[in-house]
Amino acid sequence: ADDSGQVDIYELVAALQLDSVFQQKVFKMFDADGSGNINFFEMVLAMWDYCTLSSQTLVAFAFNLYDTNKNGTLSQKEIKQVLQDVYGELRSNNVILKKAMEELSASSQKNEFDLNSFYSFTKKHPNIMLPAFEMQNSLRTISKLGSSAWDKKTIKREKHCKGSYKPVQKYLTLLLGHEVNEEEERPRSKLKKKSKNNTSEIEDDNGR
């Protein structure tokens, strides 16, 4: 980082020992202007976003990351790219990846995959996204917050999103709206309680 408070993404991922294309993309998605730099807040937000993903929503996160035109589908070629990028330098001799890639090549599904199809594929090959989960564990460890604290944040996020994946920007909007609604609800609760007490007082007066 320099005096501007900006962090070079490539220096950041190197410092965090994150060298795969997928790992770089996780941080680059917060580089709104494409400058190759993110500020400290964006770096923290990127780490929080990734560390609060569950096993299911991490798969959806990866899908969304590569669905660049946001049409809800990925081609077979794009699915292969996801897997190659997730494994990085490990892809050359990885048996799990090799088997999955061979199945993709032999698959009759030459058309596009939607998210449910990708879920089914990852369930059939349960360890195929392992490097992505290992990255999450590494980031959680670096943060020094502790796995238990991250698990609580993950559960809270899933609860607010009703088990589905929402990009962090949409989630924060949802969370802000939830907190606003809670704030609005508190005065109403107090008003109801006050009204109930006033009713009791009126009944006491009438009973005299």
Side-chain angles (χ1 to χ4, degrees), residues 192-208:
K192 286 179 182 177
K193 188 175 181 181
K194 186 176 180 181
S195 299
K196 187 175 179 181
N197 291 337
N198 288 343
T199 304
S200 298
E201 289 173 5
I202 292 170
E203 287 175 351
D204 289 343
D205 288 341
N206 289 338
R208 286 179 183 173

Side-chain angles (χ1 to χ4, degrees), residues 60-107:
F61 171 88
F63 185 93
N64 185 71
L65 191 61
Y66 283 79
D67 180 18
T68 53
N69 60 4
K70 304 305 175 191
N71 67 349
T73 62
L74 293 177
S75 66
Q76 187 185 99
K77 183 179 179 180
E78 288 172 321
I79 294 291
K80 287 182 177 180
Q81 192 64 57
V82 174
L83 302 180
Q84 288 175 341
D85 288 355
V86 164
Y87 276 82
E89 294 180 357
L90 301 174
R91 64 178 179 268
S92 56
N93 300 312
N94 191 278
V95 177
I96 296 171
L97 178 61
K98 185 179 179 181
K99 184 179 179 181
M101 297 290 271
E102 287 174 350
E103 182 177 316
L104 275 172
S105 297
S107 173

Side-chain angles (χ1 to χ4, degrees), residues 46-53 136 139-140 143 150-151 154:
M47 289 186 69
W48 179 91
D49 183 33
Y50 198 77
C51 288
T52 55
L53 295 170
Q136 186 186 66
L139 290 176
R140 284 183 168 194
S143 74
W150 279 119
D151 287 342
T154 299

Side-chain angles (χ1 to χ4, degrees), residues 3-44:
D3 293 337
S4 68
Q6 298 290 307
V7 181
D8 182 277
I9 292 172
Y10 295 103
E11 290 181 2
L12 172 65
V13 296
L16 296 176
Q17 297 182 327
L18 306 174
D19 55 5
S20 77
V21 174
F22 174 81
Q23 292 166 340
Q24 292 169 9
K25 278 180 174 286
V26 170
F27 287 92
K28 284 179 73 176
M29 66 183 291
F30 288 89
D31 177 20
D33 60 3
S35 65
N37 296 307
I38 57 175
N39 60 39
F40 181 75
F41 173 76
E42 290 168 333
M43 181 188 72
V44 171

